[in-house]
């Protein structure tokens, strides 16, 4: 998933076509009805043909030796029209290509690979079906880690479920399952069997969901007709109708259909009186969050209405003489008006407003677990039913002088509801990063209608959520790009900083890819939508952040273990407290003066027992880690650091050794010619023309550097016409040769010249040796078997790399470089940046072994790389960090993705993880410390010496406040600032890229 989004965000097509003076696309196929057309044109969706589906093919590629070879193949394939994605795996000698058959076929792709200089064979030509699917589920009713653990255990027990994660903070579950064995309906039923409400968010990455509001129908029969019409559409997976909300929810395959097709079908059904539009609501989580906030607010306000009079009659009015006499007036025997009034007012609070706690406690106990609801239900019921007993005794006795605790149960419920209300409010803010990411998408888009010849015949403004695959969208200057796609007309500059972190606007021309949510700076663009809905780069970033927030950090296991025993232990402590104080009073083990005048020894013991029960808070422990991880990963996303979950976050804060790859990590990764030397008397321009004419046929990075250098000496620098090269041959790992202007040109390294029996002059030998000392690559050029010149090529060091390594040293982190390059280049680069330990000429498996050796020496190792050959080391490291501009495989293997490709983000990732775990520790100290101090105080350990006791309603307020305080402590992470040293670098004008 991450691989796709980064590949899309960072891919730049180099195949610029001619820019047409007007929007006309001669190379485009005519659009089928229902795809890439306006809503008017697609009214007869059922009869329209579906657009071409993407197809996958796998090729076996022989001859690749390094990541440069893989990069050459990947770029050559991506230049072809109709290529959606291409990934080359040098380790397994394979290339996987996702393409549109309308534009290109397997044979063309195979020939393109062979043109680069490698042997290619088609070994697979159909899409691999996923053996495992992922569904996301929203769960209502969880109160503490005991609830989440119960659901997780139930899901893990289902045959066919591979992995299940339940997050208390986000109230979501992510389940990986085998669709051949179990389906998501059975998973939902399993959750509901445990006593919680389950709502499906998504059932797989290949299926999109949308909700439509339908107006104009009068009967359920009309709705059934609409449902049947929609069901007939190809690609529709599931339909859910809610007549009371005028709502139809659909799951569908975006490759086959889309929301505009649904609206057209609905509005053309029957007598065309129906109207449909996107349902006006946010996501499932946000909608539920708002409902939950409203629900807790209403419950608290109603509770307050009843509780305030109860509090006044028991705590305030009893000290005002006139009013006290009125409330003390006897109704029957010793039953007073005040008692009756408190009973009447507290009963709705206990059984109607507090009903949620009974339901939660019943669900938990039914499945053999105990949660916070059990504690609240036991505590409030003990106070309420003892009070009922006191009332009944008073009504039937003429000398009973008991006290009721109705204010205890009512005030307990009120304070707990207030705490839950504040907690839900605070928890909503922990996922603010996702909301900010979603806000990047524009609300509307301009849809173009194109005729069969490719001419624009109409344009229409639509909701951006109605965009379908293969639509042609117009992007005006200053507007946000409405969808991922590629430019088919126009040229402009696009600001992609919100996705890639690159501050400079990127030039866009015909054939270049664009990312939804980025901003078009100047010229108008027409783009063809290729990835919509859940497939877009923005959606995948959001999904990555959401998955990270679901994943539990290992430290969370500590809280999960405690939660299993916490509530039963508290119940035992509470009963023991009541029994100890009751027996002490019964046998006069303490003076009678200790007992307040309004209570007897039994009532005093009962208050201590209830206080212990309600002050204990399992919620604070359960929220300590997930809320901090949520905020930490959200902050990381806003800083361009995508952290894949709590485990990566936890491991990163322990890192004390970082292994850097060289090319593309410490260096820019784009070689440039830095020096040249002619050894024969000839014109420089002629020398460069002959060299460039030979190298232009190669996709090797060094060849591209030579061609770019030669362009600078031509007047037609943008698109120069080089002399024709015949009999071109690429010698993998050595160089190239060809016939140009009837001259044999050989360009390559020293070994290539020797293999062709070409003598190397002493001057050339000296230049090659000097180049190696300066971390440069020397290339020899021979014309007709005679060396005529030398080119020195260097991969420049990233600006500020030396400062980044210096900052890591100050953080007590050891830096090591492991590279596949030669020792001379590696040592030179290492010396320049300040790295003391170097391992050069390392193969991919050797990089991995070096990481393991460091781990065996006691280091916690992070690996920073960008190439396919870095993937084994990224997996082996405790924390793998992939440069955002790197290859898909490297990004998939990594734990942390540095979106901006900046070395400074390595420092940011480690510093952010350290700060996050500082807050997690604070949360645990508070949550554990609160319980360790609060429970003894509630049990009355201070009462003998100070006379201080904690009334149950104050204990309830303290319990509610503890959860809120933990969430607020996590929220302080939102104000995270990068280390000042990084800001100082930018002030001095150094941007680490």
């Amino acid at each position: 998933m991450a691989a796709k989004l980064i590949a899309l965000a960072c891919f730049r097509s180099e195949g610029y076509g001619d820019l047409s003076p007007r929007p006309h696309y001669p190379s485009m196929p005519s659009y089928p009805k229902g795809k890439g057309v306006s809503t008017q044109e697609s009214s007869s969706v059922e009869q329209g043909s579906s657009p071409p589906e993407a197809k996958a093919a796998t090729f076996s590629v022989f001859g690749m030796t390094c990541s440069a070879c893989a990069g050459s193949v990947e770029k050559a394939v991506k230049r072809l029209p109709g290529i959606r994605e291409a990934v080359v795996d040098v380790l397994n000698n394979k290339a996987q290509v996702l393409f549109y058959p309308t534009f290109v076929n397997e044979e063309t792709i195979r020939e393109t690979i062979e043109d680069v200089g490698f042997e290619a064979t088609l070994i697979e030509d159909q899409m691999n079906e996923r053996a495992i699917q992922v569904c996301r589920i929203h769960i209502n009713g969880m109160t503490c880690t005991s609830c989440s653990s119960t659901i997780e255990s139930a899901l893990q027990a289902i045959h066919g479920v591979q992995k299940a994660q339940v997050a208390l903070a986000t109230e979501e579950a992510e389940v990986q399952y085998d669709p051949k064995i179990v389906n998501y309906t059975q998973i939902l039923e399993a959750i509901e069997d445990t006593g919680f409400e389950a709502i499906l968010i998504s059932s797989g990455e290949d299926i999109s969901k949308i909700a439509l509001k339908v107006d104009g129908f009068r009967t359920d029969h009309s709705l059934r007709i609409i449902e049947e019409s929609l069901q007939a559409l190809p690609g529709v997976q599931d339909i859910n109708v809610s007549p009371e909300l005028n709502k139809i929810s659909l799951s569908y395959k975006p490759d086959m259909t889309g929301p505009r097709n649904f609206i057209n079908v609905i509005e053309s059904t029957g007598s065309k009186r129906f109207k449909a539009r996107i349902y006006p609501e946010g996501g499932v989580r946000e909608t539920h969050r708002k409902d939950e906030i409203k629900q807790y607010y209403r419950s608290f306000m109603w509770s307050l209405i009843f509780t305030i009079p109860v509090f006044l009659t028991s705590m305030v009015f009893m000290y005002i003489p006139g009013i006290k006499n009125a409330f003390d007036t006897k109704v029957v025997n010793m039953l007073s008006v005040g008692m009756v009034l408190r009973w009447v007012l507290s009963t709705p609070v206990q059984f109607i407003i507090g009903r949620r706690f009974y339901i939660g406690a019943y669900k938990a106990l039914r499945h053999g677990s105990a949660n916070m609801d059990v504690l609240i239900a036991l505590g409030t019921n003990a106070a309420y039913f003892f009070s009922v007993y006191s009332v009944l005794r008073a009504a039937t006795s003429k000398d009973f002088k008991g006290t009721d605790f109705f204010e205890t149960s009512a005030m307990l419920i009120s304070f707990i509801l207030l705490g839950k209300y504040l907690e839900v409010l605070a928890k909503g803010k922990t996922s603010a990063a996702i909301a900010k990411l979603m806000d990047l998408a524009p609300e509307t888009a301009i849809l173009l209608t194109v005729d069969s010849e490719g001419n624009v015949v109409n344009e229409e403004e639509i909701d951006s959520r109605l965009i379908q695959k293969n639509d042609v969208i117009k992007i005006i200057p200053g507007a946000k790009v409405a969808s991922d796609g590629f430019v088919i007309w126009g040229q402009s500059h696009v600001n992609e900083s919100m996705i890639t972190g690159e501050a400079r606007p990127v030039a866009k021309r015909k054939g270049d890819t664009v990312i939804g949510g980025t901003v078009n700076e100047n010229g108008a663009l027409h783009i063809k939508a290729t990835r919509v809905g859940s497939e877009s780069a923005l959606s995948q970033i959001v999904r990555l952040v959401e998955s990270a927030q679901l994943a539990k950090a290992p430290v969370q296991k500590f809280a999960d273990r405690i939660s299993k025993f916490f509530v039963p232990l508290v119940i035992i402590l509470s009963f023991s407290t009541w029994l100890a104080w009751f027996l002490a009073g019964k046998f006069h083990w303490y003076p009678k003066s200790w007992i307040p005048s309004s209570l007897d020894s039994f009532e005093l013991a009962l208050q201590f027992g209830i206080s212990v029960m309600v002050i204990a808070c399992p919620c604070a422990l359960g929220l300590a880690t997930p809320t901090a991880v949520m905020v930490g990963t959200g902050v990381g996303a806003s800083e361009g650091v995508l952290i894949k979950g709590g485990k990566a976050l936890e491991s990163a804060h322990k890192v004390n050794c970082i292994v850097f790859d060289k090319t593309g990590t410490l260096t820019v990764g784009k070689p440039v010619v830095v020096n040249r030397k002619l050894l024969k008397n000839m014109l420089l321009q002629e020398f460069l023309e002959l060299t460039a004419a030979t190298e232009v046929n190669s996709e090797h990075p060094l060849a591209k550097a030579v061609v770019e250098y030669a362009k600078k000496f031509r007047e037609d620098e943008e698109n120069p016409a080089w002399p024709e090269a015949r009999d071109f041959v690429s010698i993998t790992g050595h160089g190239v040769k060809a016939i140009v202007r009837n001259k044999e040109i050989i360009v390559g390294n020293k070994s290539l010249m020797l293999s062709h029996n070409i003598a190397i002059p002493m001057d050339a030998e000296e230049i090659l040796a000097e180049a190696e000392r300066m971390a440069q690559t020397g290339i020899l050029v021979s014309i007709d078997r005679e060396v005529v010149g030398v080119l020195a090529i260097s991969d420049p060091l990233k600006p500020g790399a030396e400062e980044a390594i210096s900052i890591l040293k100050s953080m007590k982190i050891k830096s090591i470089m492991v590279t596949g390059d030669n020792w001379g280049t590696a040592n030179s680069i290492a010396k320049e940046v300040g790295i003391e330990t170097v391992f050069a000429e390392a193969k991919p498996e050797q990089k991995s072994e070096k990481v393991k050796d460091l781990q065996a020496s006691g280091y916690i190792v992070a690996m920073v790389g960008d190439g396919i050959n870095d993937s084994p080391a990224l997996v082996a490291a405790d924390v793998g960090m992939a440069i955002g501009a790197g290859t898909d495989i490297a990004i998939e293997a990594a734990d942390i993705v540095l979106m901006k490709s900046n070395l400074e983000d390595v420092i940011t990732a480690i510093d952010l993880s350290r700060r996050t775990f500082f807050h997690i520790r604070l949360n645990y100290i508070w949550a554990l410390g609160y319980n360790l101090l609060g429970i003894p105080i509630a049990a009355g350990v201070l009462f003998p010496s100070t006379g201080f006791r904690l009334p149950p309603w104050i204990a309830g307020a303290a319990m509610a406040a503890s959860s809120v305080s933990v969430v607020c402590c996590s929220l302080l992470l939102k104000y995270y600032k990068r280390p000042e040293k990084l800001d100082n670098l930018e002030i001095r004008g150094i941007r680490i890229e």
Side-chain angles (χ1 to χ4, degrees):
M1 177 182 67
K4 291 181 181 177
L5 75 93
I6 304 297
L8 179 61
C10 302
F11 169 58
R12 304 282 182 272
S13 173
E14 298 175 11
Y16 299 148
D18 294 332
L19 297 176
S20 305
R22 62 189 179 85
H24 174 77
Y25 325 116
S27 62
M28 290 175 56
S30 58
Y31 284 85
K33 291 179 182 179
K35 275 286 184 179
V37 294
S38 67
T39 50
Q40 294 96 330
E41 193 176 343
S42 61
S43 58
S44 302
V45 174
E46 303 91 320
Q47 289 77 29
S49 58
S50 61
E53 286 193 34
K55 190 177 179 182
T58 302
F59 298 86
S60 181
V61 184
F62 298 101
M64 296 189 296
T65 58
C66 63
S67 58
C69 301
S72 299
V73 174
E74 194 169 298
K75 287 183 179 179
V77 172
K78 283 182 174 180
R79 279 183 169 182
L80 292 171
I83 298 296
R84 175 169 156 183
E85 189 59 79
V87 177
V88 181
D89 181 357
V90 73
L91 299 178
N92 297 306
N93 295 312
K94 286 184 181 179
Q96 289 185 321
V97 184
L98 196 59
F99 63 98
Y100 296 102
T102 307
F103 295 92
V104 69
N105 58 33
E106 294 93 333
E107 184 59 23
T108 304
I109 297 170
R110 189 190 66 77
E111 289 175 356
T112 301
I113 296 173
E114 294 199 336
D115 287 343
V116 180
F118 304 98
E119 184 182 345
T121 308
L122 179 66
I123 59 174
E124 189 177 339
D125 61 359
Q126 59 184 1
M127 186 79 74
N128 291 324
E129 291 186 7
R130 288 194 172 190
I132 300 299
Q133 280 194 4
V134 180
C135 69
R136 296 172 65 85
I137 301 164
H138 185 85
I139 302 172
N140 293 339
M142 292 191 296
T143 56
C144 64
T145 50
S146 177
C147 302
S148 59
S149 298
T150 300
I151 297 170
E152 207 166 270
S153 299
L155 291 173
Q156 294 281 15
I158 301 173
H159 180 55
V161 170
Q162 304 291 323
K163 185 181 180 183
Q165 293 183 127
V166 181
L168 174 65
T170 58
E171 297 177 327
E172 284 186 14
E174 185 175 272
V175 185
Q176 296 178 15
Y177 64 99
D178 187 341
K180 296 175 184 176
I181 300 175
V182 66
N183 57 41
Y184 64 82
T185 306
Q186 292 168 290
I187 293 170
L188 292 175
E189 288 172 356
I191 294 172
E192 291 185 347
D193 285 345
T194 62
F196 300 90
E197 183 186 359
I199 304 168
L200 183 69
I201 299 174
S202 64
S203 57
E205 292 182 10
D206 59 332
I207 295 178
S208 296
K209 293 191 73 177
I210 194 165
L212 301 174
K213 186 175 178 64
V214 181
D215 297 321
F217 71 90
R218 298 184 182 89
T219 63
D220 290 347
H221 177 68
S222 301
L223 211 54
R224 279 195 296 275
I225 294 173
I226 294 173
E227 185 178 354
E228 290 170 2
S229 300
L230 290 170
Q231 196 73 58
L233 279 176
V236 173
Q237 299 289 303
D238 186 44
I239 300 176
N240 185 25
V241 179
S242 304
E244 66 281 0
L245 300 173
N246 293 10
K247 180 180 177 182
I248 296 179
S249 300
L250 299 102
S251 299
Y252 63 97
K253 290 189 175 181
D255 282 327
M256 301 179 68
T257 188
R260 287 206 316 283
N261 294 354
F262 305 146
I263 290 174
N264 290 332
V265 166
I266 292 170
E267 294 185 347
S268 61
T269 298
S271 57
K272 299 185 178 181
R273 69 174 183 274
F274 307 118
K275 294 293 178 186
R277 64 184 189 277
I278 300 285
Y279 202 84
E281 66 175 13
V284 172
R285 179 197 292 173
E286 189 57 32
T287 302
H288 170 70
R289 183 80 67 199
K290 289 177 180 176
D291 291 343
E292 195 176 25
I293 289 170
K294 287 179 184 176
Q295 197 175 25
Y296 274 117
Y297 178 75
R298 281 198 302 267
S299 296
F300 172 66
M301 293 308 294
W302 276 109
S303 178
L304 214 56
I305 290 170
F306 290 99
T307 301
I308 288 175
V310 173
F311 172 77
L312 292 174
T313 57
S314 61
M315 301 286 188
V316 179
F317 294 159
M318 302 314 292
Y319 299 98
I320 303 174
I323 301 176
K324 181 180 183 302
N325 294 335
F327 282 110
D328 282 344
T329 304
K330 300 298 184 287
V331 179
V332 178
N333 292 330
M334 297 300 291
L335 179 63
S336 65
V337 172
M339 279 185 171
V340 174
L341 188 61
R342 288 191 290 274
W343 189 11
V344 170
L345 291 171
S346 63
T347 300
V349 178
Q350 183 69 35
F351 298 107
I352 299 175
I353 299 169
R355 180 171 171 264
R356 66 174 67 242
F357 302 118
Y358 286 96
I359 294 171
Y362 167 73
K363 289 176 179 177
L365 293 172
R366 193 180 70 175
H367 292 90
S369 63
N371 60 9
M372 186 193 75
D373 291 332
V374 173
L375 296 179
I376 295 169
L378 284 174
T380 56
N381 276 320
Y384 179 84
F385 285 107
F386 176 78
S387 301
V388 170
Y389 165 78
S390 297
V391 167
L392 295 176
R393 278 287 306 275
T396 56
S397 173
K398 294 184 179 180
D399 56 358
F400 178 73
K401 293 184 178 181
T403 306
D404 63 85
F405 295 144
F406 286 120
E407 79 284 350
T408 296
S409 67
M411 291 174 73
L412 255 177
I413 289 172
S414 296
F415 274 114
I416 290 164
L417 289 173
L418 174 61
K420 292 299 288 182
Y421 169 68
L422 295 174
E423 182 186 318
V424 172
L425 272 180
K427 278 164 66 178
K429 294 177 182 178
T430 60
S431 56
I434 292 175
K436 286 181 181 177
L437 285 170
M438 294 304 292
D439 287 343
L440 292 175
E443 293 183 1
T444 60
I446 300 173
L447 174 69
L448 300 180
T449 306
V450 183
D451 62 19
S452 58
E453 296 179 357
N455 296 308
V456 175
V457 296
N458 184 45
E459 59 180 65
E460 173 191 5
E461 187 173 71
I462 62 170
D463 189 312
S464 63
R465 292 172 293 179
L466 295 176
I467 296 175
Q468 299 179 181
K469 281 191 176 180
N470 297 322
D471 281 348
V472 179
I473 307 297
K474 180 180 180 181
I475 313 296
I476 61 175
K480 289 182 178 179
V481 177
S483 168
D484 293 358
F486 60 88
V487 178
I488 55 177
W489 179 88
Q491 58 182 340
S492 181
H493 287 80
V494 175
N495 185 338
E496 298 182 341
S497 59
M498 65 283 297
I499 301 292
T500 66
E502 177 58 57
R504 291 176 299 175
V506 181
K508 298 293 179 182
R509 300 183 180 185
K510 185 178 178 181
D512 287 353
T513 56
V514 289
I515 309 166
T518 56
V519 179
N520 184 23
E521 297 269 317
N522 35 38
L525 295 174
H526 291 180
I527 68 165
K528 186 175 183 180
T530 56
R531 297 186 180 185
V532 296
S534 61
E535 289 186 330
S536 69
L538 195 58
S539 295
Q540 292 186 50
I541 291 173
V542 169
R543 194 181 300 123
L544 183 64
V545 175
E546 286 178 334
S547 295
Q549 294 180 344
L550 269 172
K552 289 182 179 180
V555 71
Q556 176 70 23
K557 294 176 183 177
F558 170 69
D560 291 345
R561 282 196 298 268
I562 291 177
S563 68
K564 291 180 181 178
F565 311 104
F566 189 87
V567 174
L569 182 63
V570 168
I571 293 171
I572 292 169
L573 285 173
S574 174
F575 179 78
S576 301
T577 300
W578 167 79
L579 186 62
W581 279 101
F582 174 70
L583 292 175
K586 192 77 173 173
F587 297 104
H588 309 293
W589 292 345
Y590 60 80
K592 280 192 175 182
S593 59
W594 285 13
I595 304 174
S597 58
S598 58
L599 304 174
D600 59 24
S601 61
F602 176 84
E603 292 165 347
L604 179 65
L606 185 64
Q607 278 207 354
F608 281 128
I610 293 172
S611 294
V612 168
M613 191 171 293
V614 297
I615 199 170
C617 185
C619 291
L621 272 173
L623 293 170
T625 298
T627 53
V629 169
M630 278 185 73
V631 180
T633 51
V635 169
S638 65
E639 293 281 347
V641 178
L642 296 183
I643 303 168
K644 298 182 183 178
K647 184 178 179 182
L649 200 63
E650 180 169 347
S651 299
H653 92 280
K654 302 174 185 174
V655 166
N656 53 15
C657 177
I658 298 183
V659 176
F660 288 95
D661 174 48
K662 181 183 75 69
T663 307
T665 302
L666 292 171
T667 62
V668 174
K670 294 181 180 178
V672 293
V673 176
V674 292
N675 195 11
R676 70 183 188 271
K677 180 71 173 178
L678 283 174
L679 304 176
K680 298 295 177 182
N681 189 18
M682 69 182 297
L683 292 174
L684 175 63
Q685 187 169 345
E686 182 186 4
F687 167 74
L688 291 175
E689 274 191 1
L690 293 172
T691 307
T694 306
E695 292 279 38
V696 76
N697 297 289
S698 172
E699 283 291 332
H700 197 283
L702 297 182
K704 295 177 74 67
V706 172
V707 173
E708 289 299 317
Y709 181 71
K711 282 181 181 179
K712 297 177 182 177
F713 296 86
R714 293 286 295 264
E715 292 180 3
D716 53 343
E717 182 182 332
E718 188 64 33
N719 290 298
W722 303 109
E724 183 185 357
R726 294 180 290 108
D727 301 331
F728 173 81
V729 178
S730 174
I731 300 97
T732 304
H734 296 281
V736 296
K737 66 178 182 177
I739 304 297
V740 181
R741 290 177 181 168
N742 295 320
K743 296 178 180 179
E744 185 188 41
I745 312 296
I746 300 178
V747 185
N749 57 22
K750 185 177 176 180
S751 62
L752 180 62
M753 300 299 160
L754 294 174
S755 67
H756 285 75
N757 297 318
I758 299 172
I760 302 173
M762 188 60 67
D763 289 352
E765 292 274 16
E766 291 175 358
I767 295 169
L768 290 175
E770 179 63 24
E772 188 171 312
R773 282 195 298 271
M774 298 177 67
Q776 298 169 0
T777 302
I779 290 181
L780 298 169
V781 180
S782 82
I783 300 176
D784 291 334
R785 303 276 168 163
E786 186 180 11
V787 174
V788 297
V790 183
L791 295 172
I793 299 177
S794 172
D795 184 4
L797 200 64
K798 284 188 176 180
E802 182 181 354
E803 287 80 1
I805 299 300
S806 175
I807 292 172
L808 287 171
K809 282 183 180 178
S810 69
M811 296 169 70
K812 294 183 171 34
I813 296 174
K814 181 182 179 68
S815 296
I816 294 173
M817 184 168 75
V818 178
T819 177
D821 278 359
N822 63 71
W823 280 97
T825 302
N827 284 323
S828 179
I829 291 290
K831 186 176 180 181
E832 196 172 345
V833 297
I835 292 178
E836 297 172 0
T837 308
V838 180
F839 298 94
E841 300 177 6
K843 295 178 181 178
E845 60 273 16
Q846 291 173 327
K847 289 185 177 183
S848 175
E849 289 299 322
K850 180 48 61 181
V851 168
K852 291 175 183 176
D853 288 345
L854 289 166
Q855 290 170 328
S857 301
Y859 286 106
I860 305 298
V861 182
M863 171 70 194
V864 184
D866 72 320
I868 293 172
N869 57 347
D870 297 325
S871 301
L874 288 169
V875 173
D878 296 286
V879 182
M881 297 187 186
I883 296 293
T887 63
D888 293 0
I889 295 173
I891 290 161
E892 194 67 50
D895 302 301
I896 297 174
V897 180
L898 311 177
M899 286 284 288
K900 301 177 186 177
S901 301
N902 294 341
L903 284 179
E904 65 179 34
D905 287 341
V906 174
I907 300 163
T908 301
I910 293 173
D911 185 67
L912 176 61
S913 70
R914 289 180 177 182
R915 192 72 59 86
T916 302
F917 266 79
F918 171 74
H919 281 265
I920 289 174
R921 289 189 189 99
L922 276 183
N923 286 345
Y924 274 124
I925 289 170
W926 168 251
L928 287 171
Y930 160 83
N931 283 299
L932 290 173
L933 288 174
I935 291 174
I937 292 172
V941 295
L942 298 179
F943 186 67
S945 58
T946 64
F948 177 79
R949 62 188 175 90
L950 206 61
W953 61 273
I954 294 179
M959 185 268 280
S962 68
S963 296
V964 178
S965 64
V966 163
V967 177
C968 289
C969 180
S970 296
L971 282 173
L972 290 175
L973 271 171
K974 291 178 73 175
Y975 302 102
Y976 168 80
K977 299 292 182 187
R978 300 185 316 159
E980 288 184 11
K981 293 175 183 178
L982 293 180
D983 295 328
N984 292 338
L985 287 180
E986 292 195 359
I987 291 169
R988 283 157 44 199
I990 299 174
R991 177 68 182 171
I992 306 176
E993 296 179 335

